Structure formats: structure tokens, C-alpha cells
Amino acid sequence: MSVEKYIAPQWRYDYVEPKGKRMRLLSVDEVQISSRLLNKHIRFSNGSIQPERYKPNFRKHMEYADKIWLSASRAIRNISALPENDVHHHEMDALNQDLQLIFSDAGWRWIRKEISQLKKRQTKTRFELSEDLVKKLKIIMAREELKTFDEVVDFLVSIDQELQEGSE
């Protein structure tokens, strides 16, 4: 039995819909990537720090905000604990509905931007190099007129591949 992949619904705008690309609510993998970010920013207390990011009802009514916060934080915890294929669509719909009640259009735009940054950081790998090796890489950068360390590594990998092909 194959489970259909959850498709995130579109954000419902408060006032005017944009002419460009519409924002989406969260997919399962985005919840799993951004669970800490979401838990940090769905709190009632943040409504007074950055009021433009939150809906007026969420900022002004603590009991209402607490119910939504509790529901959203439970959903985030449950979704994050499960493999992507085991998450039920109704759980995602409920979480996305709660997020729609918490964030204003500007707040959701900011959250989407932060999630995008998290995704980018996940795709990059960082490693440490000795100072001596960095100096050697900088010499290669200057000699070959390369601008970034990524370009230097690509250059060296291509040389290695050529050497491997030549030895065969």
C-alpha cells in the first residue's frame, strides 16, 4: 500500500493576495527540519516582541493563544518523531490550520524565509582545514584565478578525475 505524499496547502492571505508566487504552508519534511524554529516562535509571549508577525487574536487573548500553542506544539512533536511516510495528512492539516491562526502574512513570510535558510544549511557540509592547507588552497586560487574554496575543490577534483581516467 503506497501512501500519497502530503502536499502543503497554500497560505490563506489576510487582506490582499500577492500578484506573484503564493506562499505555502508546511510539508512534512519542513516541519521536521524546522521544529525547533517553530516551537520557539509559536509562543504567546513573542506576540508582544514582534507584534507584526502575529495575528491580532493570538496577540491579545492569552487563553486562545494557549490553546493554539498547545495544539501546534503537540503536532510538531508528533510529526517530528515519525518518519515522513508515517505522518497522517490530518495531523499536517491540523498543524497548518494552527499556524494559519498564529501568524500574520508578514510573520509567515518571515518563517518561510527562515525555513529556506535552514534547508540551505542542511545541504552544505563544513569541515576544518589546517592553516597550512588553506594557504596552499589560496595559492591555487590565485594561480588559477578562482574565487571561492568550492571552485578550488571542484578544480582539484576534476584534476583527480582526469588522472584516474588517464591511468585506466
Side-chain angles (χ1 to χ4, degrees):
M1 183 175 123
S2 66
V3 177
E4 287 184 36
K5 183 175 171 101
Y6 180 77
I7 298 171
Q10 291 186 339
W11 177 260
R12 289 186 315 276
Y13 290 87
D14 294 332
Y15 302 108
V16 180
E17 291 190 20
K19 294 179 181 170
K21 186 177 178 183
R22 292 179 52 106
M23 291 187 290
R24 288 207 164 273
L25 289 159
L26 296 181
S27 64
V28 177
D29 64 316
E30 288 173 327
V31 173
Q32 293 173 338
I33 290 169
S34 63
S35 60
R36 289 177 61 203
L37 171 79
L38 291 170
N39 278 321
K40 180 178 177 185
H41 291 284
I42 61 172
R43 293 195 166 96
F44 172 78
S45 58
N46 292 340
S48 59
I49 300 168
Q50 302 267 330
E52 69 282 356
R53 292 184 184 166
Y54 298 90
K55 296 258 176 109
N57 281 343
F58 186 79
R59 286 192 327 257
K60 294 177 183 170
H61 305 289
M62 188 171 183
E63 287 180 24
Y64 171 79
D66 281 345
K67 287 178 185 176
I68 296 170
W69 168 80
L70 186 61
S71 172
S73 61
R74 282 182 182 162
I76 292 166
R77 185 180 60 239
N78 293 341
I79 292 166
S80 297
L82 293 171
E84 189 173 340
N85 294 335
D86 291 347
V87 176
H88 295 287
H89 291 209
H90 66 86
E91 288 180 272
M92 283 301 302
D93 288 337
L95 173 61
N96 279 325
Q97 179 65 32
D98 289 341
L99 295 172
Q100 187 81 49
L101 295 171
I102 295 171
F103 294 105
S104 67
D105 294 347
W108 190 246
R109 192 172 297 108
W110 181 83
I111 289 287
R112 292 298 314 180
K113 189 171 76 172
E114 292 297 310
I115 291 171
S116 176
Q117 291 298 316
L118 288 171
K119 285 179 174 179
K120 285 180 189 175
R121 283 187 214 118
Q122 250 194 351
T123 60
K124 294 193 178 223
T125 304
R126 297 172 196 243
F127 53 92
E128 293 183 22
L129 300 173
S130 67
E131 193 173 324
D132 186 46
L133 192 53
V134 170
K135 286 178 186 176
K136 290 177 184 178
L137 290 173
K138 285 183 179 181
I139 291 169
I140 295 171
M141 280 173 77
R143 185 181 69 225
E144 300 298 325
E145 297 179 0
L146 301 170
K147 293 184 172 103
T148 66
F149 284 109
D150 278 354
E151 290 175 353
V152 174
V153 172
D154 284 340
F155 174 75
L156 294 172
V157 168
S158 66
I159 289 174
D160 180 61
Q161 287 173 343
E162 290 172 10
L163 290 172
Q164 293 295 323
E165 291 170 3
S167 67
E168 290 176 352

